[in-house]
Amino acid sequence: MLRKKSNKGLFFIGGVGYGLLEILWRGKTHWSMLLTGGACFIALFRLFEKAAHFPLHLKCMTGGAVITAFEFVSGCIFNKLLRLNVWDYSKKILNFKGQICALYSFLWMLLCVPVSALCKKLRD
């Protein structure tokens, strides 16, 4: 579908897709999340491309860890360093520095089910 799996195309899909998902989930988004979503989708696409033979549960666990890592790095940059205060998980159980938490890590794993399917469709 995407000619030569263009990083620009993948970035656009991830940025817009994540922005829309966040608007549906919490009613708003932030420009920084479009950047994070775009970069994250490129990483997931490349991961799922190399791990196409992995069982879905393993893709979801690995993908969830990748998204959580992106979320942590983005949080440290946008929330801590730039003080944009895009999100704060400090009141959530099992959070780390208010930037990531167990609940959202679990939700990222679930999100990897449709993301994995989308990546497969884009590869074919």
Side-chain angles (χ1 to χ4, degrees):
M1 183 178 246
L2 287 175
R3 194 178 62 217
K4 197 65 177 147
K5 294 7 166 233
S6 155
N7 279 342
K8 290 178 186 175
L10 295 172
F11 187 88
F12 180 80
I13 291 168
V16 170
Y18 184 75
L20 291 173
L21 180 67
E22 192 169 46
I23 289 169
L24 288 172
W25 182 258
R26 65 181 200 142
K28 63 181 180 175
T29 193
H30 187 270
W31 63 265
S32 62
M33 295 299 88
L34 304 178
L35 299 178
T36 303
C40 197
F41 189 72
I42 291 171
L44 289 174
F45 183 87
R46 300 296 176 208
L47 171 69
F48 293 157
E49 188 174 45
K50 290 186 183 342
H53 62 285
F54 284 16
L56 182 60
H57 74 277
L58 190 53
K59 287 183 192 176
C60 291
M61 291 185 336
T62 307
V66 166
I67 297 170
T68 299
F70 269 87
E71 184 178 39
F72 181 72
V73 170
S74 296
C76 288
I77 294 168
F78 297 120
N79 293 331
K80 298 291 188 181
L81 184 65
L82 299 177
R83 296 191 169 126
L84 296 177
N85 301 316
V86 181
W87 72 88
D88 180 4
Y89 296 152
S90 61
K91 290 186 170 69
K92 301 270 187 208
I93 190 165
L94 299 175
N95 79 81
F96 184 68
K97 298 189 180 219
Q99 302 310 302
I100 56 173
C101 68
L103 171 63
Y104 281 96
S105 292
F106 175 71
L107 293 174
W108 300 142
M109 286 191 294
L110 294 179
L111 180 64
C112 285
V113 173
V115 168
S116 176
L118 175 60
C119 288
K120 182 180 182 335
K121 183 140 183 89
L122 291 172
R123 273 195 322 273
D124 294 342

